[in-house]
Amino acid sequence: MTTTRAGRARTTAGDPEFTALIATVETVLAEWTGPGPVRPHGVAHQDPRTGLLTWHLRGLPAQLDHLHAALRAAEPAEVRLARTLAAIAALDPSRHGHTGPDTPQITAAYAERNRLIWTALALAHEAGVPAGVGHDPTDPRPVVVYLELPTGQVSWHLPAHPAGWDGHSTGEKYQRVAAFAEAIGAPS
């Protein structure tokens, strides 16, 4: 069990109750979207086998998705990093021998892999794992993300950003940040 900044106890992945809660949310989500007994409607339903009366509300899957994400976020950064690295390994076309040409499916897999690599970099910093970005001018994908895991270094080549610096100053940068936050209605 860990403690939040506010001093309240917070359950983590090592706690069996926390693990059971995540499993319950995952089960309900699977039943809602799959062939299980839960159906998305806004009326009472009596199960003929058990006689239990339940009420199903529209929008519950979205609420459960948010709950599931919040529960996952309560896991230690190391656990979230390990999950992210496992997801990268599962979908990385280069791990499975792909050398080209790229199909739309391969392009999509690389795009998701690259998104996950940036997520892994942020999680590594959160977890206290040494990590950073390097440059390899000899590769067509010159950006290299490095993580120094306790089990050894891992790295991935990524494409460079397609646009160069547009000449903005530090002041302009933060004006743009504030304008973006305002445009989407977020506090700046």
Side-chain angles (χ1 to χ4, degrees):
M1 182 166 303
T2 61
T3 302
T4 64
R5 281 181 245 181
R8 293 177 288 123
R10 182 179 76 180
T11 309
T12 61
D15 184 331
E17 289 181 16
F18 179 87
T19 304
L21 182 58
I22 288 177
T24 300
V25 171
E26 288 173 341
T27 299
V28 171
L29 283 170
E31 287 180 349
W32 189 281
T33 58
V38 180
R39 296 290 178 253
H41 52 75
V43 297
H45 169 76
Q46 186 167 16
D47 186 327
R49 292 173 297 143
T50 64
L52 293 175
L53 185 65
T54 57
W55 187 265
H56 303 288
L57 301 174
R58 287 183 177 89
L60 184 59
Q63 293 168 350
L64 289 173
D65 284 340
H66 290 295
L67 177 60
H68 189 245
L71 289 169
R72 288 287 186 215
E75 290 179 321
E78 296 87 355
V79 172
R80 289 181 285 140
L81 175 58
R83 285 185 194 281
T84 302
L85 293 173
I88 292 167
L91 65 82
D92 189 345
S94 62
R95 179 177 188 222
H96 304 291
H98 171 39
T99 58
D102 289 356
T103 63
Q105 294 83 6
I106 294 293
T107 300
Y110 273 119
E112 178 64 9
R113 178 202 84 144
N114 296 349
R115 185 191 67 77
L116 289 170
I117 290 167
W118 291 115
T119 300
L121 179 63
L123 287 170
H125 284 286
E126 186 180 335
V129 172
V133 177
H135 184 256
D136 179 358
T138 66
D139 195 280
R141 294 155 309 170
V143 177
V144 186
V145 171
Y146 295 96
L147 278 68
E148 302 293 339
L149 300 175
T151 54
Q153 184 186 80
V154 295
S155 64
W156 296 268
H157 279 84
L158 298 170
H161 186 64
W165 176 56
D166 69 0
H168 63 269
S169 67
T170 301
E172 287 172 315
K173 171 174 44 183
Y174 290 111
Q175 288 172 350
R176 292 172 180 181
V177 168
F180 173 72
E182 184 179 329
I184 65 167
S188 55

